[in-house]
Amino acid sequence: MMLSGKAKLAGVMGWPVSHSRSPRLHGYWLAQYGIDGAYVPLAVAPENLKDALAALPKIGFRGCNLTIPHKEAALDYVNTIDETARVVGAINTVVVDDAGALRGSNTDIEGFAQNIRSTGHMLDASHPALVIGAGGAARAVIAALKSLGFTRAAIVNRTPERAKALAKDLAPLALTLDVHAWDRRSDLVKDASLVVNTTSLGMNGAPPLALDLAAARDDALVTDIVYAPLETPLLQAARARGLACVDGLGMLLHQARPGFRAWFGVDPEVTPALRAHVLKD
Ligand code: NAP
């Protein structure tokens, strides 16, 4: 579709931004729905983030996504922050409202929850979730557990202080978060109805996550938020053990929906064709 003078504009701010799959993802939806709009990569250095965000309403942008390293710093530069995003301590989506104010939210939370729901798997949330890792993504994953019905999660991280800090920061979510030693992770598997890898282990170029799934509950669901490769060693092991699995690409696709809806006025669908298109990159 050709852009007109009325084209709706959004983009993704990152530094660097060239790795981002968001332009490809939103570009697919813009073409699919025949929308007069554009979604562009915005290479914004950290020292320019404040000015770049402030410029959005002045140059007619409807908002943007934020990627590394801006998700935390941007909290200081928007006018309102969604309550859960404030607790999580990061935003990835900014919407310019009708008055020109910047509204920040964290759609990784809903993206994770939607990806899990998309499996149709009946989670037994009376058992805890096991979250491996305590980085930025782990915070969004833990915030999503509540909407999946969990009241309790076990957390393990190589650096225990980071897991303890996360549990303290996320206390307002009113979930019981039990921090355990890193080397206990395989023992914790047996009680978990959801096992989530939020570390970068298993990514292309990184070592695999060593986790013994032998004692896992038969009804456990295993997910890896790493999506390159799509089938991580953890997911391969889970499939070999006969467990239900879901890869991390769906989280990336679902997190993009609220922004697209706000900027371009269509609630876009996550389809197998979209997955294939993003994976072709
Ligand atoms: P981050 O804040 O840097 O956290 C990295 C995590 O990985 C920490 O828990 C870190 O442990 C752990 N880790 C790294 N190397 C390790 C090793 N050798 N042994 C044990 N643990 C190790 O990164 P993030 O933003 O949370 O992202 C984590 C992963 O999630 C990345 O692969 C990212 O691409 C992916 N992600 C996916 C989505 C999606 O939409 N699917 C969204 C966001 C992120 P320490 O604290 O001990 O360093």
Side-chain angles (χ1 to χ4, degrees):
M1 162 147 198
M2 295 291 286
L3 293 178
S4 80
K6 293 180 190 158
K8 298 167 179 164
L9 302 174
V12 53
M13 291 186 189
W15 187 258
V17 78
S18 54
H19 68 281
S20 174
R21 287 185 159 144
S22 294
R24 190 170 172 84
L25 164 53
H26 287 271
Y28 178 91
W29 280 329
L30 287 168
Q32 180 186 352
Y33 297 109
I35 292 170
D36 182 16
Y39 181 103
V40 294
L42 298 163
V44 175
E47 62 273 24
N48 294 327
L49 179 64
K50 183 181 180 184
D51 290 344
L53 283 169
L56 287 173
K58 298 179 189 170
I59 59 173
F61 266 56
R62 294 178 167 234
C64 69
N65 284 125
L66 297 161
T67 186
I68 294 167
H70 299 321
K71 290 185 185 186
E72 291 85 14
L75 290 172
D76 290 338
Y77 305 137
V78 294
N79 301 102
T80 62
I81 301 163
D82 167 76
E83 195 42 46
T84 313
R86 188 186 293 283
V87 173
V88 165
I91 55 174
N92 70 340
T93 302
V94 175
V95 174
V96 177
D97 72 14
D98 293 342
L102 305 181
R103 292 193 278 118
S105 62
N106 187 322
T107 64
D108 282 337
I109 301 167
E110 190 51 24
F112 177 79
Q114 271 301 115
N115 192 35
I116 297 294
R117 286 190 203 107
S118 74
T119 64
H121 185 85
M122 289 297 290
L123 281 171
D124 181 354
S126 65
H127 287 265
L130 171 59
V131 178
I132 300 165
R139 289 172 176 250
V141 164
I142 290 168
L145 293 177
K146 198 100 192 252
S147 69
L148 292 169
F150 286 95
T151 56
R152 182 171 214 110
I155 307 166
V156 290
N157 193 49
R158 175 182 61 176
T159 309
E161 296 72 29
R162 205 171 176 196
K164 286 178 195 151
L166 173 152
K168 192 166 167 240
D169 292 349
L170 299 190
L173 296 177
L175 273 168
T176 302
L177 302 175
D178 303 311
V179 175
H180 299 270
W182 175 244
D183 59 9
R184 285 217 52 224
R185 61 194 184 281
S186 292
D187 302 333
L188 294 162
V189 159
K190 63 174 175 294
D191 196 29
S193 58
L194 175 67
V195 176
V196 190
N197 176 38
T198 73
T199 74
S200 44
L201 292 171
M203 248 173 98
N204 287 329
L209 167 68
L211 187 70
D212 186 353
L213 294 171
R217 295 168 54 83
D218 289 338
D219 64 354
L221 176 67
V222 179
T223 185
D224 202 325
I225 71 163
V226 167
Y227 55 82
L230 203 53
E231 191 76 356
T232 61
L234 173 67
L235 295 185
Q236 283 171 17
R239 275 187 224 287
R241 162 71 182 73
L243 301 173
C245 298
V246 60
D247 65 56
L249 183 62
M251 176 177 173
L252 177 79
L253 304 182
H254 282 288
Q255 65 75 31
R257 291 176 57 203
F260 190 91
R261 188 167 53 232
W263 306 318
F264 301 116
V266 172
D267 189 9
E269 264 190 304
V270 170
T271 59
L274 173 68
R275 277 175 69 90
H277 176 79
V278 173
L279 280 174
K280 244 194 261 161
D281 186 13

